[in-house]
């Protein structure tokens, strides 16, 4: 696929007023309460806790070389710390939402390198493709089929997709491992060929080298330092590392899937003129679902990704403000007759995701959206 931008054509004037009205109300909320749209003390404390949960256990392993069973507990903590950083820290920073300072966002955004990923590719996949073309086949990689997993109603059904509900969560566990190993190189080549990456050849050589260098440093620290310098058995580091990656992969994949690959969302296809007859903001409301809005613990840990509706509409607002913003969004949506999709609990959201992948695995080969 060669990248061709899709235009959103809105023929409903009332729906067009929805987002304009909503933006004014959200802006007024921050101005009237004299609140910054960026980080606050809660966000700073969370950042320190999550970075500590990822870095300190590894430092402890290097310094004290604890018994293997204790080390596994530390790797487990690192797994939850890894996914927490991905959801709460680097995510906001790479959207420019963490701070009004470009430098702060830049450095905190590069915490992704600590996790084995590339900021350059992530911004193209997430900020450009996913946020602009949410749930659109061939554009949104987040809902693209992966190996033997089917997340899209517009792709060919294979016989094994009927069983994907059985093996899906196992494959979710390899997400971050694949990311650290191969994804960035494959994705870089893909986006360059498609034209999503508009950098020049000279710029791309530098970008590719930076990605390669960051991977070398990552693997050298994760394996070279404890095994070659400290002398910890390779097998122990490998098992702990795989445990960390599996935990992080399951957490990250499930949280992101609960926002889009659930019952009730739409997967529209553009017309031959590369347009979608809908207001962009309403399109986001049709393709995005919140979950567990009232759970303070879930909201804290997943970085507001349970407020995906608000995040897709206002990605440059720090997620610590989403609980308050969500009340404005929901009220405005009801006023304009725009859907506000949500699952009240994590359990309901997870059940809805399971039902969705079961449905995708059984559906006939028809180019029809579910909704």
């Amino acid at each position: 696929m060669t990248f061709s931008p899709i235009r959103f054509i809105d023929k409903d004037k009332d729906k067009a007023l929805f987002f304009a009205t909503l933006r004014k109300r959200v802006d007024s909320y921050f101005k009237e309460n004299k609140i910054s749209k960026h980080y606050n003390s809660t966000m700073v404390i969370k950042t320190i806790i999550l970075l500590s949960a990822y870095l300190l256990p590894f430092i402890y392993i290097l310094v004290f070389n604890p018994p293997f069973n204790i080390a596994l507990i530390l790797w487990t903590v690192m797994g939850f710390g890894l996914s927490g950083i991905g959801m709460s820290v680097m995510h906001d920073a790479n959207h420019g939402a963490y701070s009004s300072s470009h430098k702060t966002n830049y450095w905190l955004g590069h915490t992704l390198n600590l996790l084995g990923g590339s900021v350059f590719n992530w911004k193209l996949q997430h900020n450009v493709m996913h946020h602009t073309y949410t749930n659109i086949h061939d554009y949104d990689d987040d809902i693209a089929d992966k190996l033997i997993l089917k997340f899209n109603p517009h792709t060919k059904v294979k016989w094994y997709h009927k069983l994907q509900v059985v093996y899906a969560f196992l494959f979710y566990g390899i997400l971050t491992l694949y990311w650290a190993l191969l994804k960035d190189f494959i994705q870089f080549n893909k986006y360059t060929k498609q034209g999503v990456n508009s950098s020049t050849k000279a710029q791309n050589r530098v970008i590719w080298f930076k990605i390669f260098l960051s991977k070398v440093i990552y693997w050298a620290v994760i394996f070279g330092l404890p095994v070659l310098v400290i002398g910890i058995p390779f097998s122990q580091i490998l098992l702990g590392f795989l445990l960390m990656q599996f935990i992080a992969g399951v957490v990250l994949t499930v949280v992101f899937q609960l926002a889009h690959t659930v019952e009730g969302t739409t997967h529209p296809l553009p017309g031959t003129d590369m347009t979608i007859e809908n207001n962009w903001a309403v399109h986001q409301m049709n393709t995005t679902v919140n979950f567990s809005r009232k759970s303070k613990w879930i909201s804290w840990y997943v970085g507001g990704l349970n407020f995906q509706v608000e995040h897709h509409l206002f990605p440059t607002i720090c997620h610590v403000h989403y609980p308050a913003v969500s009340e404005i969004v929901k009220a405005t949506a009801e006023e304009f007759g725009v859907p506000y999709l949500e699952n009240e609990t994590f359990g309901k959201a997870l059940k809805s995701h399971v039902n969705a992948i079961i449905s995708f695995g059984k559906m006939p080969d028809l180019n029809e959206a579910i909704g």
Side-chain angles (χ1 to χ4, degrees):
M1 181 198 83
T2 300
F3 176 67
S4 300
I6 294 173
R7 294 179 299 134
F8 291 87
I9 306 298
D10 183 28
K11 296 182 179 181
D12 189 329
K13 293 182 179 179
D14 291 334
K15 295 291 175 64
L17 288 173
F18 161 69
F19 195 42
T21 302
L22 179 59
R23 279 189 297 185
K24 288 181 180 178
R25 291 176 179 177
V26 171
D27 287 341
S28 294
Y29 164 78
F30 285 99
K31 289 179 181 178
E32 291 171 4
N33 291 281
K34 297 180 180 179
I35 300 173
S36 167
K37 293 182 179 181
H38 302 293
Y39 73 89
N40 56 19
S41 59
T42 299
M43 187 64 184
V44 173
I45 293 171
K46 179 194 294 192
T47 301
I48 294 171
I49 291 173
L50 291 173
L51 285 171
S52 297
Y54 181 61
L55 297 174
L56 293 184
F58 188 65
I59 293 173
Y60 187 92
I61 290 172
L62 295 178
V63 174
F64 298 103
N65 189 9
F68 185 52
N69 59 335
I70 301 299
L72 288 180
I73 294 174
L74 294 172
W75 283 107
T76 298
V77 174
M78 288 177 66
F80 287 106
L82 189 161
S83 52
I85 293 169
M87 295 183 292
S88 289
V89 182
M90 83 84 184
H91 184 256
D92 272 33
N94 284 319
H95 272 295
Y98 192 105
S99 171
S100 59
S101 166
H102 173 74
K103 288 185 178 179
T104 300
N105 288 325
Y106 176 85
W107 288 111
L108 288 177
H110 278 75
T111 54
L112 178 56
N113 291 79
L114 296 176
L115 316 180
S118 162
V119 171
F120 179 81
N121 286 329
W122 189 89
K123 284 187 174 181
L124 290 179
Q125 176 188 329
H126 189 79
N127 291 8
V128 177
M129 303 301 285
H130 172 63
H131 271 262
T132 307
Y133 309 111
T134 311
N135 276 22
I136 298 178
H137 176 47
D138 276 339
Y139 283 76
D140 184 358
D141 270 356
D142 283 17
I143 55 102
D145 292 354
K146 295 172 178 64
L147 294 177
I148 57 175
L149 294 171
K150 176 178 169 63
F151 298 126
N152 194 316
H154 303 296
T155 54
K156 186 174 180 60
V157 180
K158 306 290 187 179
W159 66 267
Y160 47 77
H161 287 144
K162 293 181 180 180
L163 303 173
Q164 71 175 353
V165 69
V166 177
Y167 57 72
F169 291 87
L170 178 63
F171 277 85
Y172 290 174
I174 67 172
L175 167 71
T176 55
L177 180 61
Y178 166 62
W179 197 350
L181 280 169
L182 297 172
K183 178 182 175 181
D184 283 315
F185 297 111
I186 294 172
Q187 202 171 52
F188 179 82
N189 290 332
K190 173 186 174 182
Y191 286 156
T192 301
K193 290 179 180 179
Q194 290 179 341
V196 176
N197 171 14
S198 60
S199 302
T200 65
K201 289 185 177 180
Q203 290 172 328
N204 278 330
R205 283 194 290 269
V206 175
I207 294 168
W208 190 93
F209 177 75
K210 287 182 177 179
I211 294 173
F212 175 77
L213 182 61
S214 70
K215 300 290 184 182
V216 170
I217 294 172
Y218 175 77
W219 290 108
V221 172
I222 288 290
F223 282 99
L225 192 55
V227 175
L228 300 179
V229 178
I230 308 299
I232 301 173
F234 173 77
S235 59
Q236 291 188 17
I237 296 299
L238 177 62
L239 289 173
F241 175 77
L242 292 176
L243 174 63
M244 175 189 73
Q245 294 290 349
F246 184 81
I247 291 170
V250 170
V251 172
L252 286 169
T253 307
V254 168
V255 169
F256 276 101
Q257 293 294 347
L258 296 189
H260 302 288
T261 309
V262 291
E263 298 168 299
T265 57
T266 60
H267 295 73
L269 293 173
T272 54
D273 58 352
M274 299 307 293
T275 64
I276 286 182
E277 293 188 7
N278 199 359
N279 175 277
W280 175 84
V282 176
H283 169 80
Q284 298 301 320
M285 303 293 282
N286 288 332
T287 56
T288 310
V289 184
N290 284 348
F291 66 92
S292 304
R293 280 198 309 136
K294 303 302 182 181
S295 172
K296 291 184 179 180
W297 160 240
I298 290 178
S299 298
W300 186 93
Y301 179 62
V302 306
L305 294 184
N306 55 326
F307 290 90
Q308 277 284 313
V309 171
E310 288 68 33
H311 173 60
H312 272 254
L313 295 175
F314 302 102
T316 58
I317 293 178
C318 185
H319 71 261
V320 292
H321 304 296
Y322 287 158
V325 171
S326 71
E327 299 299 333
I328 302 172
V329 175
K330 186 174 183 180
T332 306
E334 290 175 353
E335 180 182 332
F336 281 84
V338 173
Y340 186 89
L341 306 178
E342 66 175 320
N343 286 300
E344 294 181 356
T345 66
F346 179 85
K348 288 183 179 179
L350 186 61
K351 181 180 179 181
S352 183
H353 171 60
V354 169
N355 289 340
I357 61 176
I358 290 174
S359 175
F360 288 156
K362 292 182 177 179
M363 67 192 320
D365 290 324
L366 297 175
N367 287 326
E368 297 178 354
I370 69 167

